[in-house]
C-alpha cells in the first residue's frame, strides 16, 4: 500500500465549497456601494426628489437631475421592505413625470449598472401598476432595452438582489 493513501490530510479539504449548486448568502455590504441602508434612505434622495417634483413642470435638465437623484443610493442591500417601498414610490413618481420625448435622453445618460437598476424598477412598477403607469413604463422599457440590450433583461431577471 502506498504511503499517501494512509494519510488523512486529504479529508481536511471542504469539497462542498466547489459545488456550483451550493447557495451562499452574500453579506449585506458586499455590493459596490449602489445601495443604501434604511437609515440612509430616510435622509437620502427622497426629500430632494420630492421637492424637485413639486415644481412640475420642470425643465428637461431639472427632470434629468431628479432622475439621477432618484436612482442614487437606493436600498438594494437592505431587507427593510418599508425602505424599498418608499424608494419605489419615489422612482415611480420620477419616471411618470417625464415626457415621452425626454425618456431617451435620460436613459442614454445612464451607465450599464444604472440601466440594470432602472430595469429593476420598471419591472417592479409592472408588478404594482397605478393609473396609466403601465403605458409609461412600456415607453421606458423600450428605451432601456434599446440601450441595454437583452443582457440587461437577463441580468435583472437573474439578480439575487431585488429592489
Amino acid at each position: 500500500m502506498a504511503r499517501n493513501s494512509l494519510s488523512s490530510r486529504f479529508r481536511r479539504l471542504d469539497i462542498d465549497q466547489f459545488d456550483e449548486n451550493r447557495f451562499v448568502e452574500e453579506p449585506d455590504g458586499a455590493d459596490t456601494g449602489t445601495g443604501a441602508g434604511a437609515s440612509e434612505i430616510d435622509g437620502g434622495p427622497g426629500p430632494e426628489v420630492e421637492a424637485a417634483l413639486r415644481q412640475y413642470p420642470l425643465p428637461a435638465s431639472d427632470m434629468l437631475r431628479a432622475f439621477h437623484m432618484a436612482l442614487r443610493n437606493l436600498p438594494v442591500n437592505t431587507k427593510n421592505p418599508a425602505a424599498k417601498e418608499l424608494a419605489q414610490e419615489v422612482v415611480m413618481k420620477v419616471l411618470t413625470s417625464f415626457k415621452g420625448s425626454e425618456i431617451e435622453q435620460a436613459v442614454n445618460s445612464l451607465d450599464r449598472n444604472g440601466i440594470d437598476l432602472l430595469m429593476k424598477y420598471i419591472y417592479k412598477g409592472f408588478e404594482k401598476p397605478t393609473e396609466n403607469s403601465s403605458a409609461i413604463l412600456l415607453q421606458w422599457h423600450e428605451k432601456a432595452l434599446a440601450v441595454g440590450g437583452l443582457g440587461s433583461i437577463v441580468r435583472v431577471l437573474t439578480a439575487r438582489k431585488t429592489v
Side-chain angles (χ1 to χ4, degrees), residues 80-128:
N80 184 357
K84 288 186 176 191
E85 187 68 30
L86 176 67
Q88 183 201 1
E89 289 175 13
V90 169
V91 171
M92 289 304 296
K93 279 185 183 179
V94 170
L95 293 181
T96 56
S97 298
F98 268 83
K99 295 178 184 175
S101 60
E102 299 170 346
I103 293 175
E104 188 170 4
Q105 177 189 4
V107 172
N108 286 333
S109 70
L110 295 174
D111 61 344
R112 190 182 100 178
N113 292 333
I115 291 174
D116 291 350
L117 188 60
L118 174 63
M119 283 292 229
K120 285 182 183 183
Y121 276 101
I122 290 171
Y123 287 133
K124 189 73 166 186
F126 283 141
E127 287 179 15
K128 300 176 183 177

Side-chain angles (χ1 to χ4, degrees), residues 30-151:
D31 205 14
T32 59
T34 59
S39 61
E40 291 177 73
I41 194 68
D42 293 336
E48 295 170 354
V49 175
E50 292 286 338
L53 289 177
R54 278 190 218 113
Q55 301 168 1
Y56 188 77
L58 291 174
S61 62
D62 289 343
M63 283 301 294
L64 195 59
R65 196 180 84 235
F67 174 67
H68 285 286
M69 284 190 310
L71 288 180
R72 193 176 350 131
N73 293 327
L74 291 173
V76 175
N77 291 328
T78 186
K79 293 183 176 158
N80 184 357
K84 288 186 176 191
E85 187 68 30
L86 176 67
Q88 183 201 1
E89 289 175 13
V90 169
V91 171
M92 289 304 296
K93 279 185 183 179
V94 170
L95 293 181
T96 56
S97 298
F98 268 83
K99 295 178 184 175
S101 60
E102 299 170 346
I103 293 175
E104 188 170 4
Q105 177 189 4
V107 172
N108 286 333
S109 70
L110 295 174
D111 61 344
R112 190 182 100 178
N113 292 333
I115 291 174
D116 291 350
L117 188 60
L118 174 63
M119 283 292 229
K120 285 182 183 183
Y121 276 101
I122 290 171
Y123 287 133
K124 189 73 166 186
F126 283 141
E127 287 179 15
K128 300 176 183 177
T130 59
E131 185 177 327
N132 200 27
S133 69
S134 295
I136 296 168
L137 289 175
L138 281 172
Q139 290 177 352
W140 278 98
H141 188 272
E142 176 188 9
K143 303 299 182 188
L145 177 64
V147 174
L150 288 176

